[in-house]
Amino acid sequence: MKALKYIWALPGTVLGLLLCIIYLPRRVRWFDGCLEIQPRWMITGAVAQTFGWLIFFARGREQVVSTRVHERVHVQQAFRWGPLFYPLYVGHYMYLWVKYRFVYWKAYTSIWAEKEAYSFAAKYPTNAWGTKLPEEK
């Protein structure tokens, strides 16, 4: 059953692996069911990005600690929605971007997936190094 989750989320992970060509990984490690990569740089300037079960952390340990829970929620969303996750995410973002008259931050923070991730991370901020999310037990 666990293997099926990884296969279902594989399209997003493959996209992340393709980005490795551009991002030039500095460090790569398997941590608690996710492939974590510290790239030499990231196009978006984001602190972290998740693709399937692959997480890019742009900065050092402090940023990993502060964003790991949030990004692991996105991994769980990728497991839940599989190949539908990114079209749903981008589609919702585009709708919100137009709705909020092209204000990036307002659209981004209103995306259903981001609301869920920020909400969960706010409830479990100290879970960063333990990383076992309640739904994974």
Side-chain angles (χ1 to χ4, degrees), residues 88-121:
L88 291 170
Y89 184 102
V90 172
H92 194 214
Y93 172 75
M94 296 305 292
Y95 164 75
L96 293 166
W97 191 58
V98 171
K99 178 182 176 183
Y100 294 122
R101 300 177 191 247
F102 315 106
V103 178
Y104 159 77
W105 188 251
K106 192 162 187 172
Y108 168 76
T109 56
S110 298
I111 300 169
W112 61 273
E114 295 302 334
K115 282 183 169 184
E116 182 182 3
Y118 279 112
S119 173
F120 193 91

Side-chain angles (χ1 to χ4, degrees), residues 18-53:
L18 290 172
L19 281 173
C20 284
I21 296 167
I22 299 168
Y23 286 177
L24 304 171
R26 179 177 296 156
R27 287 192 194 117
V28 177
R29 75 180 194 151
W30 183 261
F31 185 82
D32 202 19
C34 294
L35 187 61
E36 294 185 346
I37 297 176
Q38 183 183 14
R40 295 190 190 286
W41 67 287
M42 283 173 41
I43 294 170
T44 64
V47 172
Q49 289 180 316
T50 300
F51 293 92
W53 35 270

Side-chain angles (χ1 to χ4, degrees), residues 76-93:
Q76 292 303 310
Q77 291 166 341
F79 285 153
R80 188 179 324 128
W81 293 98
L84 301 174
F85 178 68
Y86 294 98
L88 291 170
Y89 184 102
V90 172
H92 194 214
Y93 172 75

